[in-house]
Amino acid sequence: MTTATSPDAGASRRLTLTFDNGPVPGTTERILKALDERDLPAIFFMVGERVLAAGGRETAARVRAAGHRIGNHTMSHGTPLGELDDAATAISEISDADAVLGELTEPDRLFRPNGRGRLGPHVLSWPAIDALRSGGYTVVTWNCVPRDGEEPSDSWVGRAHAALQTQDWTVLVLHDHHPRAVDHLPAFLDRVRDAGIEVTPELPDSCVLLRAGRPQPALDALMGQRPRDPGR
Ligand SMILES: [Zn+2]
């Protein structure tokens, strides 16, 4: 990691590519090919049940072998953890996916909550945060969801570029399970390269709630004050 000491710091723009909700055999491999051909890194936030589905583990292993980071994106990708009534269910959504992913993840243990595309305090509960803290997780959010499931299937590209033009560091959420959107990934990545945007596997403070289990300012900004009555 560099510090902001050079006179040019801030002048260059950065992009962290993240692919959520996979692995999806076939489509994930097309993403890998587009990244590999351009020597670009990414983070794949995987759903435990998708790893257990047919071909999922083999695809996940290909992501790992290609050198990309893999994070936990819950076991079932069901109700956002902050909307679950039951603390134990929220915690098992994290721990069950962790058990499935096993050695595919790396020592720094990345986790991304699901939120139906929206970022707010509904994505986490305090018991889940406690579990993520004690597990030493780095908890990752996002600052651009270009809606890659919408038609026309290339419309996400324009929305992503608009974000890249207004943000110093974009953490972009794309999905393994929108195959038609992935058709447009190679051209998008070429435009990113032509614009001189640096693609990095690192993460900006504004999109990190916990780093290796340590609460960050972005956690307070998202969740607000912890209620005195523990539970939610
Ligand atoms: Zn998701």
Side-chain angles (χ1 to χ4, degrees):
M1 298 285 289
T2 55
T3 49
T5 50
S6 102
D8 289 325
S12 64
R13 284 170 293 150
R14 280 181 277 193
L15 167 62
T16 304
L17 293 164
T18 67
F19 295 91
D20 285 12
N21 300 9
V24 177
T27 307
T28 301
E29 278 82 355
R30 290 168 54 218
I31 296 169
L32 289 178
K33 181 167 184 284
L35 295 170
D36 182 53
E37 285 173 352
R38 294 160 183 82
D39 196 23
L40 296 174
I43 309 176
F44 290 76
F45 287 99
M46 295 187 178
V47 174
E49 288 181 356
R50 288 249 161 101
V51 175
L52 293 178
R57 186 164 292 282
E58 291 77 8
T59 294
R62 284 186 197 109
V63 172
R64 188 67 186 143
H68 301 293
R69 307 178 86 180
I70 293 178
N72 176 332
H73 193 39
T74 75
M75 188 63 192
S76 74
H77 205 276
T79 303
L81 302 189
E83 292 177 356
L84 289 167
D85 291 331
D86 168 23
T89 304
I91 291 165
S92 63
E93 278 286 337
I94 302 164
S95 59
D96 289 356
D98 198 47
V100 167
L101 286 164
E103 63 199 22
L104 291 168
T105 56
E106 45 181 5
D108 63 1
R109 303 185 92 187
L110 301 171
F111 175 80
R112 171 177 273 171
N114 59 303
R116 300 195 185 95
R118 218 163 37 77
L119 191 55
H122 67 292
V123 304
L124 286 171
S125 63
W126 288 105
I129 291 167
D130 288 341
L132 292 161
R133 285 182 69 171
S134 61
Y137 282 90
T138 292
V139 178
V140 180
T141 59
W142 56 85
N143 59 21
C144 181
V145 181
R147 308 193 306 277
D148 57 338
E150 285 187 12
E151 295 293 333
S153 62
D154 64 347
S155 59
W156 68 267
V157 173
R159 292 188 284 270
H161 279 294
L164 286 164
Q165 275 162 20
T166 57
Q167 300 184 144
D168 289 340
W169 193 338
T170 296
V171 178
L172 181 68
V173 179
L174 299 173
H175 297 90
D176 295 49
H177 64 124
H178 294 314
R180 283 167 49 73
V182 174
D183 292 347
H184 306 286
L185 181 64
F188 168 73
L189 295 175
D190 287 344
R191 244 177 94 181
V192 164
R193 178 197 56 208
D194 293 346
I197 295 164
E198 178 195 353
V199 177
T200 173
E202 302 302 325
L203 294 155
D205 290 342
S206 60
C207 293
V208 177
L209 305 181
L210 303 177
R211 266 196 206 272
R214 293 187 309 278
Q216 303 296 302
L219 180 67
D220 293 340
L222 181 71
M223 298 297 292
Q225 275 293 330
R226 180 175 193 143
R228 227 173 292 142
D229 174 24
R232 290 293 294 252

